[in-house]
Amino acid sequence: MKPVWIVVISVLITGLVVGGLTYFFINRAATSDKNDLQSQISSLDNKLSGTEKSLSSALSSSSSSSSDSSSSSSSVSATSSSSSSAAVSSAFSLTNLKAASVVVGGTTYKLVNGVFDQTADGPFNTEIPATITLDQKNYAVDTANANQAAIILTLGGMRHAGATVSPTELEIMTNSAGTPKYAARVLLDGYFECTVNSIAFASNIVTVSFTRVGATIAKTVSYKLNANNTLTLQ
């Protein structure tokens, strides 16, 4: 074989060997770099996932704690409000009202079990009742001010204009250290006797539905409680 061909063939063989080795080493290096990169990505994913879980858990715990705190606060507030309401409303419990001191014609009378009775002491002067009876079914606490209530009293055996009458009185009571205290009064239907059907009290306005004894048609009146403890017909 001629020396030239031997040289050419040697160069070709050497080139193939060198090219193959170069490809092998480059491919192996690339694969290694790729594996290392994938490993780093997986590690970062795991860390990110762990961080998200920790953050989610912390937020959930914080929300739960806040909710519990809010619930606890609401509970305390409700309890406090309930206690305050109970203390105010107890002033106007039926038991207290049945033992209240009421005022008729400028004179104070003490009820005993819902009644004041002095019939054995007569005869009486004008405008002095022989009996005072609390209407135990019709009384109302002001929905806008739990420290005042409206009650109904029947005044029996009162002398007026030469006749014996039994008018019905609307009386406003205030809360005085847990005890009903007189504030204002008005005869509901003048000196006529009547039966009260219902009573409501809201924002200083008392509304009463009643039927005059002997009549069949009910009548409704409203009175406003003024700052000076007087009642004005609306």
Side-chain angles (χ1 to χ4, degrees):
M1 180 178 296
K2 292 181 180 182
V4 174
W5 290 110
I6 293 174
V7 173
V8 171
I9 293 172
S10 297
V11 171
L12 290 174
I13 292 173
T14 301
L16 289 173
V17 171
V18 172
L21 290 174
T22 300
Y23 174 78
F24 171 76
F25 285 113
I26 292 175
N27 183 66
R28 185 172 69 175
T31 301
S32 177
D33 290 343
K34 179 180 178 181
N35 291 337
D36 287 343
L37 182 59
Q38 184 62 49
S39 177
Q40 292 178 27
I41 292 173
S42 297
S43 178
L44 289 174
D45 283 342
N46 291 335
K47 290 180 180 180
L48 180 59
S49 177
T51 301
E52 289 178 342
K53 289 181 179 179
S54 298
L55 181 59
S56 176
S57 176
L59 289 174
S60 176
S61 176
S62 175
S63 176
S64 175
S65 175
S66 176
S67 176
D68 290 343
S69 175
S70 176
S71 176
S72 175
S73 176
S74 296
S75 176
V76 170
S77 176
T79 300
S80 175
S81 176
S82 176
S83 298
S84 175
S85 177
V88 171
S89 62
S90 66
F92 305 121
S93 66
L94 183 56
T95 298
N96 280 356
L97 291 176
K98 287 166 64 176
S101 293
V102 298
V103 175
V104 177
T107 302
T108 300
Y109 300 90
K110 174 74 171 177
L111 300 180
V112 177
N113 198 27
V115 176
F116 174 83
D117 189 347
Q118 61 179 358
T119 53
D121 299 330
F124 309 106
N125 295 327
T126 303
E127 306 297 324
I128 296 178
T131 59
I132 303 173
T133 305
L134 172 69
D135 185 339
Q136 298 183 27
K137 294 182 179 180
N138 293 291
Y139 60 93
V141 177
D142 190 336
T143 57
N145 183 353
N147 282 302
Q148 57 191 27
I151 64 174
I152 299 296
L153 302 171
T154 297
L155 313 179
M158 179 183 286
R159 296 291 297 172
H160 175 73
T164 300
V165 295
S166 297
T168 302
E169 179 169 301
L170 167 65
E171 193 156 307
I172 306 300
M173 311 294 285
T174 60
N175 174 19
S176 176
T179 301
K181 180 182 178 181
Y182 165 79
R185 67 179 286 265
V186 66
L187 291 180
L188 192 60
D189 192 27
Y191 288 91
F192 291 97
E193 182 178 358
C194 61
T195 299
V196 173
N197 305 313
S198 65
I199 182 172
F201 199 2
S203 301
N204 294 328
I205 302 296
V206 185
T207 302
V208 185
S209 170
F210 63 88
T211 304
R212 181 180 296 180
V213 172
T216 57
I217 300 176
K219 182 179 179 180
T220 300
V221 295
S222 293
Y223 285 92
K224 179 181 179 180
L225 176 63
N226 303 306
N228 61 348
N229 285 338
T230 58
L231 291 167
T232 303
L233 183 63
Q234 299 297 287

